[in-house]
Amino acid sequence: MNQPSAEDEVYLRVATIGAARGLAGQVRLRLHTDDPRTRLATGTLLSTEPAAVGPLQVASIRQVQQHWYATFAGITDRTGAEALRGVVLLAAPDESEPEAWYPHQLAGLRAERADGTLLGSIDGVQHLPAQDALVLHEVGGQRTLVPFVTAIVPVVDVPGGRVVLDPPTGLLASDPDERGGQR
């Protein structure tokens, strides 16, 4: 089976494969989606990073307490499961999801305060362990990671080409430090 190439379509991280569990090829997943039951449904064919490992077809998916586990077609033992550790599972974006924005949609958006003051532009999204962060290229050239949470990013207007930021004092690199100078 051939995987679609990056030039064909933008693919998004759905999950990263973690440690093997048991002897029958089951692996633990670190999710990068809010909808694992749909995005990782049995029978779903997923592209992979690195591409040479895939594509992988989900044979089963289940949740045990707060953890998610999957098996893949053709992976039937612990050795095969261990070889998948660290592989990133990729899928086409689901643009119909309400309140969901993808890195390719956010890159290039104008970043401004609620009063319209230009702060810079969004270079992309960085996926951090605790939460995602917008990569802000400030007007002065500084690079700042802005936590992608509603309290700090209250408005995402993809059609309008902008995001509104309400950063706490000291978050932006261009904010003055305690002595009155820039950081």
Side-chain angles (χ1 to χ4, degrees):
M1 286 188 261
N2 290 336
Q3 290 194 83
S5 71
E7 294 119 38
D8 296 337
E9 189 172 354
V10 174
Y11 279 79
L12 306 169
R13 298 177 332 142
V14 176
T16 301
I17 297 175
R21 180 174 193 243
L23 301 175
Q26 190 175 69
V27 294
R28 186 169 167 177
L29 299 176
R30 187 174 76 227
L31 299 179
H32 308 296
T33 179
D34 292 335
D35 189 11
R37 291 191 196 285
T38 302
R39 303 294 272 161
L40 298 163
T42 300
T44 301
L45 190 63
L46 299 163
S47 296
T48 60
E49 204 173 84
V53 175
L56 293 174
Q57 184 173 21
V58 178
S60 70
I61 182 83
R62 70 187 188 118
Q63 183 178 11
V64 178
Q65 295 175 355
Q66 75 272 20
H67 302 291
W68 286 84
Y69 298 93
T71 59
F72 299 97
I75 309 297
T76 58
D77 61 14
R78 185 173 184 92
T79 302
E82 287 174 346
L84 295 177
R85 188 173 193 151
V87 170
V88 177
L89 302 173
L90 306 168
D94 180 1
E95 306 281 344
S96 67
E97 256 185 280
E99 297 295 310
W101 302 284
Y102 298 109
H104 71 277
Q105 294 175 305
L106 300 172
L109 294 181
R110 185 177 68 255
E112 58 188 45
R113 292 189 188 272
D115 66 5
T117 304
L118 181 65
L119 295 172
S121 63
I122 303 301
D123 281 347
V125 177
Q126 202 165 59
H127 304 286
L128 303 174
Q131 66 201 19
D132 290 341
L134 295 177
V135 180
L136 172 65
H137 183 95
E138 294 188 44
V139 174
Q142 306 93 328
R143 179 181 176 267
T144 301
L145 295 180
V146 177
F148 198 4
V149 295
T150 305
I152 299 173
V153 187
V155 176
V156 176
D157 179 9
V158 172
R162 71 186 186 112
V163 295
V164 174
L165 302 180
D166 185 15
T169 303
L171 177 67
L172 302 180
S174 59
D175 285 346
D177 64 17
E178 302 82 43
R179 297 177 308 273
Q182 283 201 337
R183 298 174 175 254

